[in-house]
Amino acid sequence: MASGVKPRVKAPKKAEAGEVVTIKTLISHKMESGQRKDKEGNIIPRSIINRFTCDFNGKNVIDVTLEPAISTNPYFEFEATIPEAGELKFTWYDDDGSVYDEAKNVAIG
Amino acid sequence: MKFKAMTAIAALAVSAPALLLADADDDTLIVNGEIEMITKAPAPEHLSGVLDEIVSGWHMRSDETQVMQADDFDNPGMIYTEQALDDWNAVNGTKGKSCASCHGDVEESMKGVRAVYPKWNDSKEKVYTMEMQINDCLTDGMGADAWKKSGAQMAAMEALISVQSRGMPMNVAIDGPAEATWEWGKELYYTRTGQLDLSCASCHEENYGNHIRSDHLSQGQTNGFPVYRLKNAKLTTVHGRFKGCVRDTRAETYSPGSDEFVALELYVASRGNGLSVEGPSVRN
Amino acid sequence: MDFTRRETLALGAGAAALTVLPFRVHAAADEAIAAFTGGADVADGGVTLTAPEIAENGNTVPISVDAEGAVSILVLASGNPTPGVATFNFGELAGSQMASTRIRLAGTQDVVAVAKMADGSFAKASSTVKVTIGGCGG
């Protein structure tokens, strides 16, 4: 696991049934592009988050493929439809095989 | 604020391109819709005849960069405050203590601290930066190893402490026992260095608002430090920035934590007395 | 990428002119688009790409894409060493076909968004982002 990786999510705790809500996510990750060289001139190997997904009660909201051109500390903003009470699940997939996840409950009312 | 800023972006998009806007803009910075920042203020007395108004570097940035600082979720610098909070609560060193063992809740105990640093330390009989105080706490208070001056862990802790004072005006003391250090800092501020023969004043007093190549020069205020720089996507400390500036004059630089940079930090901070603490701010 | 002062002024003077610059991407970006579309025709319009006209630093450039009715949107940076940036696939609970992120641009270049619509058609948009090369900030 890459060190210092911390997911952050901003999502409403409550929504009306069927409401479209805005979600923001950010994860601390250096997103090493594989293009940089170290002091000895050796290429620093690529090490990025390569996929991010958001699901609500098991149904997909967004599924993003990330390339090395995504900035350090990947940030996403998108919208989800909340049909009922339930759980938003966020998952980030690291090149090194690590998986980071975060969940937020959304109530109706 | 978000809405206002987005409107500002839209308005700017149909007016002049950003590169042609030389002076500080007239936007307002309100963080999270609640912390109103003083980003322009009358210059402190000691600058009379030099500057009329002091201006946060936030005004020199593009709308896209400005808006990132208006919301703590959009501000990537806030990630590091969360990491520092782990350090705050972690027991470290031979005495079995954490920062919290002595200082309790960071939100209570550190309120107002950032606004008055650097400040005179009576027992050590010299001007102390926050970094020096943090390292004293680590070594003397906790029996732990000191952190690297201006390193990542230090910058994160400075950000966490700074956040507790956001919105409060900078108010460093320059008289009394700190005066000699302040005078030395002032001398360093006006001393030209490097092959380019530039002093701090050459850029940040005589030419703020102008462009150096494509960079929009600020007054070089320190109220936003530590800053999250888009350039390297991490926090930069005051001394880290000083080092970069002196290097850019093509000079051998002083080191972060050196007596010279401590004196310079006090002097530069005093030039911003009256501007809100913004750290961690977002800059290019 | 080098800009003479005159070119820079010309670009700055006419923001409107930017939108009529010919659509032009590098070969690698063309290949990436072809892989995404399977060689199908790509119409202009139907997708909105929002990006700053001038980025203060190429390392963190905010962009957003929006294409109503899209199943996925491919984003490319035609002037980067490798053009791929991201692909947004919208699921059944997507509240819109909109997404924002922050990207790295190696220099002044066209950013391209290609949307795949639910009916299998494709749409594209591009935007020139001028990346400033800093004095001290950059």
Side-chain angles (χ1 to χ4, degrees), chain B residues 113-185:
Chain B
V113 169
R114 168 67 173 82
V116 296
Y117 267 88
K119 71 176 213 183
W120 181 258
N121 181 317
D122 267 336
S123 60
K124 305 285 177 172
E125 296 188 335
K126 58 173 152 178
V127 168
Y128 253 49
T129 61
M130 280 206 315
E131 290 204 359
M132 292 158 79
Q133 185 56 55
I134 291 166
N135 267 342
D136 268 16
C137 282
L138 282 162
T139 54
D140 302 351
M142 296 159 70
D145 291 334
W147 289 342
K148 187 184 170 196
K149 289 166 185 167
S150 283
Q153 208 169 13
M154 183 64 87
M157 185 56 75
E158 288 181 79
L160 176 65
I161 294 171
S162 178
V163 158
Q164 317 309 333
S165 303
R166 278 194 305 181
M168 299 171 69
M170 285 295 297
N171 185 26
V172 299
I174 63 175
D175 51 2
E179 193 175 350
T181 307
W182 181 82
E183 290 287 357
W184 186 29

Side-chain angles (χ1 to χ4, degrees), chain C residues 30 36 54 59 72 89 113:
Chain C
D30 284 337
F36 183 68
I54 299 165
N59 218 359
S72 59
N89 299 293

Side-chain angles (χ1 to χ4, degrees), chain A residues 16-63:
Chain A
E16 302 292 330
E19 188 181 340
V20 171
V21 300
T22 298
I23 293 168
K24 295 179 180 183
T25 70
L26 190 126
I27 188 163
S28 53
H29 195 284
K30 61 185 179 338
M31 294 291 281
E32 190 60 58
S33 68
Q35 301 282 346
R36 299 198 309 159
K37 289 177 178 170
D38 63 18
K39 281 177 186 150
E40 282 79 45
N42 304 310
I43 297 273
I44 304 170
R46 172 184 138 152
S47 174
I48 68 168
I49 302 269
N50 58 52
R51 185 181 176 210
F52 163 73
T53 61
C54 170
D55 299 284
F56 183 78
N57 287 352
K59 290 179 185 163
N60 183 248
V61 174
I62 198 166
D63 186 336

